[in-house]
Every structure is written in structure tokens, then in C-alpha cells.
Amino acid sequence: MYAQMVKSTGEGVKSREDMSPEEAAFQDRIDQDIKIEPKDWMPAGYRKTLIRQMGQHAHSEIVGQLPEGNWITRAPTLERKAILLAKVQDEAGHGLYLYAAAETLGVSRDELTEDLLSGRMKYSSIFNYPTLNWADMGAVGWLVDGAAIMNQVPLQRTSYGPYSRAMIRICKEESFHQRQGYDIMMKMANGTDAQKKMAQDALNRMWYPSLMMFGPSDADSVHSAQSMAWKIKMDSNDELRQKFVDQTVPQAEYLGLTVPDENLKWNEEKGGYDFSEPDWNEFFDVIKGNGPCNTDRLAARNKAWDDGAWVRDGLLAHAEKRAALKTAAE
Amino acid sequence: MSTLYDFALRMGDNTLILGHRVSEWCGHAPVLEEDIALANTALDLIGQTQLWLGLAAEEEGTGKTADDIAFLRDAWDFRNALLCELPNGDFGRTLMRQYLFDQWHLLMLQELQKSSEKRVSDIADKAIKEVSYHVERSRDTVVGLGDGTAESHKRMQDALDYLYPYVGELFTPDAVDDAATKEGIAPDLASLREAYDAAVAATMAEATLALPESRFGHKGGRNGKMHTEHLGHILTQMQWLQRAYPGATW
């Protein structure tokens, strides 16, 4: 998943005594793992939080096309170019499923798009980092999709039916993405000196931004408790981050690459790695719009939308003419 | 080099260069469905390139791969029609270029399914499924935008006026084509024109667009004698990694 710091009600989790009968029945269903469907009653906060989360995820897929699209025309072989095209196409498809799933909550794709373009809604901080060498295509698949999968796999069990079903489809494709990313890293890490340098450079730049994908540490995550009670967030940020590090470090070792963290150390007692936290000031800067690519990414999406207005208007006008002809003929 | 090599190169360079152009749209389309469709079209074209240039490499028989052919030739060795290398322009021009190419591509592949060379007919059998969809989509889009708003109509007419002079090259045979026809590898290009004109005329009529009267056609891509200035810039991007890091495995 590509959602970070999704705001919930901001009021903390209601106790059973404070819940209305409807709210209590709703919570019971969730606790029994019964899926909530679009026509079911749901608390306004649940609906709102889900729209934010699914919208942020969808926007991330859309903006996420850009850093990879940056290398499609420079892909070094026909096969790599085909794989990258297929991957970016999948991402647009994920955006589409997620917008469609969000629409079941009563918000249109156009409304969500406007919120992305105006900057009112966010997308994952990771996509505000640049892709600077070919190994970044490997690192994005390996680390970024790898981090996304950590979140997405549990979300297949999320309480909202349409979201859960979208996530099941998405997960199938994401694991393919991660594998192709690692495959690029293998080629690079076992390649020429220049390729090894690209691979290490990519890891150096992508490591901490990937850790940031899970969001701030649990102590600073004010909205998590409610989302977890509603099962729209399944694990805490720190749990997932730890899992990601534990999974990824041996993979980096296998590649012969060095994780850029002097404090990285296996901790026998906890059965996981100790590692440095990312620079959270940098994270908050990126979230506020001051990442290396925020301005360019939003400008690119706005340009695509503005330049495409005549196309959307033209096709709509044509469809209306066709419909009018059909009505007249009947 | 054999006729089959030359022929495969022309087919493969068309799909390679057009696929590259279409892929430039990735993430910048007017609407999400179009992002998906453009990426899908580019993907199909690159897949077909692997087949055609793979065949060319096999025919060359010197151990080269399709990648060597794609990434290690200079502009004068490219054999794509000029239409394929023209810049995308706006979305309307991209889709008009696609339609003008797709309509030719479909007719060509239909004939290539009957090729005396099995490796050619096999590729045609596979590609035609994709290209039938490409032409359906590009045609619908040309019609929709041509017969849409005043602005979309004007943009599509501009696109057609700009691109039409590059259509003739697709139907102008030279010695290579004549040899391919004689060997039963490929149809006589000129023989495809009538069906093409009929299909394009019907599409443009529905799109309320006027076909330019002049049948003048720019040439020089398919024989490599004179590409546009645009091709060199495509190659600087496309071939950069292979050129900068020779001998690396990616």
C-alpha cells in the first residue's frame, strides 16, 4: 500500500459504552471478520477515512507511473522495455481498480483527481524521489514494491469488501513487480563495475525513503488506533518496517550490496535487525511538498490533465451526439 | 543480406520506433484509460519488434540478437517508415498517426499470414490479433475526436494534414519490396492501397475530416536514404545505456 499518515476521526477509538447501537453492531461485524459492503451502514468516519486511504493509494499508483516512465524510453533491452511498460500499465490499472473501489463510497474519480491535482490529497512520499540510473528501476521494484507488498498482503483481509477484493488483484501483480525488480538488481550487482556502482547508488538513495513508506513511528501515529480497530490498517508502522528490514537485509547481502546504515546489526534477542530510523524531518518536508520531485510530479500530472481537457471534452461531445442520434432514430 | 533480412528489418523498425514514440506517453495521457491503452499498444509493438528483429538476427546468422540490431545501429541503418518516427505532438496527432499506421499494418499482416515464409506468417498470425484491436481503438478515437467539439475537430484535421504526406511511403515499393513479393514473402505494397484508401476514407467521413487532396508522399525512411531529424534524437535516448556501457548484460 502507498498510504501514509491517513487521517482518521482524530478522536481516538470509541469505547463500547460510547457507541450507538448501530456503531456497536458495525464493530461486531468487523470483529467477526464479516466484510462491509457499499450498501451497508457505516460510520461517517469509517467512510471518510477509507476514502482518504484508498484515494491516497490510487494517487500513488498514478504518480508512481512517472519515476518509472522516466526510464521506459531508455530501457537497455527490448525485454526490459517490455517488462517496464507492462509494469507501468499495471500501475495505471491498479489506480483504476482503486478509484472504482473508492467510488462505491460515494466519491467520484474526477473529484479525487481534482484533490490530487490541487495538492489537497497526498500520494506516497516515495514518488517524490528521482530515478537517476537504470538500477533505480531494479530498486523501485525490489524496495518500493517490496515495501508496498508488506502493507498490501495483510490488507487483502481488510474490512471493506471492495477494497479487499481490489487488493487481492493488486497483490498478484505486485509480487511479479518485486521479482522483476530484484532480477534487475541481480544483473546489475553481478555485472560490470559500472553496473555495480549503479546498483549501490540506487540502494543508497532508495533505502531510507523506502523505510519512510511505512509512515512515522508508532508513537507519532495518532490516527492508527481507530484505523486498526476498523481493520483498514492491519499492522502498525513499526511492525511492518521491522518486517521489511528483516526481509530485505539478507537480500542486499546476497546481492553483495551494502545497506547504507552503520547501525544495522542483527539482534539475536528480538530475532530481528536493529537499524537507524530514517530522517523524519526529511519525511515531513517531503509530505509538506518539499521533496526533490514534488513540484515536478504535480506539474506533470496537472499538465497531463490540462492538456487532455480537449480530448475528454471531444470524446464526451461525440458520445452525446451518438446518443442523440440513437434517441432520434428510436 | 537476404531479402528476408531486409523485410524483417523494415517490419521490426516500424514497430520499434513507433513503439518507442507511443511509450513516451507513459503517465501523461488525458485520462487513465488512455494511459493503459497507450502503454498496452507500446507493449504490443515492442513485443512484435522482438519477433521481427529476432527473425532478422536469425537470418543474418552472425550471432547477433534482436537487441544488438535495435540498440547498436546508427540512423542510416534504420528502415522504418518516416511516419513512425514523427514526434507525438498532441494526443490527437499521436492517435491519428496510430490510425494511419494501424490501418496499413492490419492490411499488411492479413497478407503476410499467407506468406510463403512460415516464420513470417507465424509472426503475422500472432501480431494480427493485437493489431486488430489497435486499429479498432485508434479508429474509434479518430472518429470521436474528429466528430467531437470544434476544437477537437480542428486539432484532428491539423493532425491529418500534417501526417498524410507520410502515408504514401507505406505503399511505394522499391527493389527490396519487389524481391520480397517475387519470393512470396510479402504482398505487393501498391496492391494494398485501394483497400487502405477505402477504409481511411470511410473513417475520415465518419470523423467529419477532409482527406488532403495531394497524394504527395515523403520518402527515405524505408530505404534509410533520408530519415527525418527526429530519428537521431530517439536513438540518443533509446540506445544510450547500450552505447555508454558496451558489453554489459542488463
Side-chain angles (χ1 to χ4, degrees), chain A residues 215-233:
Chain A
S217 72
D218 294 348
D220 298 319
S221 299
V222 285
H223 300 284
S224 290
Q226 179 61 75
S227 288
M228 288 177 83
W230 279 333
K231 292 187 185 167
I232 54 184
K233 184 178 172 82

Side-chain angles (χ1 to χ4, degrees), chain B residues 66 122 204:
Chain B
D122 283 350
M204 295 311 157

Side-chain angles (χ1 to χ4, degrees), chain A residues 63-88 91 129-141 180 184 188 194-195 198-199 201-202 205-206 293 297, chain B residues 19-20 23-28 46 71 234 236-245 250:
Chain A
V63 178
Q65 295 180 94
L66 299 171
E68 289 183 302
N70 182 39
W71 278 92
I72 284 178
T73 56
R74 290 178 290 171
T77 68
L78 294 169
E79 193 187 4
R80 290 291 176 208
K81 192 176 170 94
I83 293 172
L84 197 52
L85 273 165
K87 181 171 190 281
V88 178
E91 279 152 15
Y129 288 87
T131 53
L132 300 179
N133 81 56
W134 173 253
D136 286 23
M137 294 304 96
V140 166
Q180 70 82 34
I184 293 179
M188 301 298 283
Q195 285 177 302
M198 290 181 213
D201 175 56
R205 280 181 289 103
M206 294 286 180
C293 298
R297 299 284 188 247
Chain B
H20 180 97
S23 78
E24 291 172 359
W25 272 98
C26 217
H28 304 280
I46 296 304
F71 294 96
I234 293 179
T236 57
Q237 281 201 348
M238 190 173 86
Q239 299 183 335
W240 173 67
L241 278 172
Q242 288 269 1
R243 300 283 193 178
Y245 302 98
W250 303 94

Side-chain angles (χ1 to χ4, degrees), chain A residues 73 76 80 109 195 301 322, chain B residues 27 33 206 242 249-250:
Chain A
T73 56
R80 290 291 176 208
R109 197 207 308 179
Q195 285 177 302
R301 288 312 306 164
R322 281 280 158 99
Chain B
E33 284 81 351
E206 209 180 316
Q242 288 269 1
T249 305
W250 303 94

Side-chain angles (χ1 to χ4, degrees), chain A residues 149-216:
Chain A
I149 291 168
M150 285 281 156
N151 249 310
Q152 284 167 350
V153 167
L155 274 175
Q156 294 178 99
R157 293 180 284 110
T158 188
S159 60
Y160 188 55
Y163 191 25
S164 156
R165 291 187 287 274
M167 215 47 80
I168 289 167
R169 290 182 68 173
I170 289 172
C171 275
K172 284 186 190 144
E173 294 175 349
E174 288 290 0
S175 51
F176 158 76
H177 294 173
Q178 191 192 14
R179 278 201 302 278
Q180 70 82 34
Y182 196 68
D183 184 59
I184 293 179
M185 292 309 284
M186 296 251 283
K187 282 273 188 328
M188 301 298 283
N190 295 310
T192 63
D193 287 349
Q195 285 177 302
K196 285 184 185 137
K197 193 175 168 189
M198 290 181 213
Q200 185 61 55
D201 175 56
L203 176 58
N204 290 349
R205 280 181 289 103
M206 294 286 180
W207 176 254
Y208 287 106
S210 299
L211 297 186
M212 293 175 193
M213 286 177 67
F214 300 98

Side-chain angles (χ1 to χ4, degrees), chain B residues 53-127:
Chain B
L53 296 188
L55 174 57
E58 190 180 305
E59 191 61 15
E60 192 176 7
T62 58
K64 277 190 191 166
T65 63
D67 285 333
D68 293 331
I69 295 181
F71 294 96
L72 300 175
R73 283 176 303 152
D74 207 336
W76 54 69
D77 286 328
F78 273 76
R79 294 291 180 270
N80 59 286
L82 298 176
L83 180 68
C84 301
E85 69 197 45
L86 296 175
N88 287 336
D90 63 14
F91 180 80
R93 194 203 277 178
T94 295
L95 265 290
M96 181 63 83
R97 183 187 61 199
Q98 194 66 39
Y99 172 67
L100 294 173
F101 179 80
D102 289 344
Q103 191 68 67
W104 170 83
H105 203 191
L106 181 68
L107 292 167
M108 184 70 173
L109 291 172
Q110 281 169 351
E111 293 302 314
L112 291 180
Q113 288 184 297
K114 301 176 223 159
S115 174
S116 63
E117 169 56 57
K118 185 162 185 311
R119 288 172 293 172
V120 169
S121 60
D122 283 350
I123 295 175
D125 284 343
K126 189 170 182 298

Side-chain angles (χ1 to χ4, degrees), chain B residues 34-57:
Chain B
E34 294 298 339
D35 266 319
I36 295 173
L38 287 162
N40 192 52
T41 304
L43 181 57
D44 289 345
L45 292 171
I46 296 304
Q48 292 168 22
T49 304
Q50 289 176 292
L51 301 175
W52 288 121
L53 296 188
L55 174 57

